[in-house]
Amino acid sequence: PVDPEFPQERIDYVLKDSRPVLALTEAELSGLDLAGYSTADLQPAALPSQAAYAIYTSGSTGRPKGVVVPDSALVNFLDSMQSRFQLTSNDRLLAVTTVGFDIAGLELYL
């Protein structure tokens, strides 16, 4: 995740360093037609060791460093949080962090 509120220098560094093969921007997402898709169409990672996502540190001690979060770690975290909070489709969770902060995965995926 890249927060569009980040300084342009940081965004440029993260994109150059991570070399993404695909980037979805707000403009691209706003015109995306998902009507013909369902969660059944989503394919899970082939292996638990494969990357779920990469996130960059704040860079407070120098350059930001990319950290790859494996699928298994994300699944374990979300499974643990779901069993602790037992959220249902009737619950709502207020997202209070930016997408570039590590705990955002809880708010985005749970």
Side-chain angles (χ1 to χ4, degrees):
V2 177
D3 188 332
E5 304 268 326
F6 284 157
Q8 188 62 49
E9 182 181 329
R10 178 184 170 94
I11 293 171
D12 293 344
Y13 173 78
V14 167
L15 293 176
K16 183 179 178 184
D17 185 63
S18 64
R19 299 178 313 228
V21 295
L22 174 68
L24 296 176
T25 67
E26 189 173 325
E28 290 167 323
L29 293 174
S30 66
L32 198 57
D33 179 13
L34 299 176
Y37 297 92
S38 73
T39 55
D41 296 321
L42 300 176
Q43 297 297 314
L47 298 171
S49 61
Q50 287 184 316
Y53 63 94
I55 193 162
Y56 277 73
T57 64
S58 67
S60 60
T61 60
R63 285 285 200 193
K65 293 161 189 68
V67 177
V68 175
V69 178
D71 182 72
S72 59
L74 179 61
V75 169
N76 287 342
F77 173 65
L78 294 175
D79 185 54
S80 174
M81 292 296 102
Q82 176 62 27
S83 66
R84 291 170 194 252
F85 298 115
Q86 299 181 7
L87 299 175
T88 70
S89 60
N90 294 321
D91 294 306
R92 299 295 177 262
L93 181 67
L94 178 63
V96 296
T97 61
T98 67
V99 297
F101 189 62
D102 62 349
I103 199 65
L106 174 67
E107 297 172 351
L108 293 171
Y109 305 126
L110 189 57

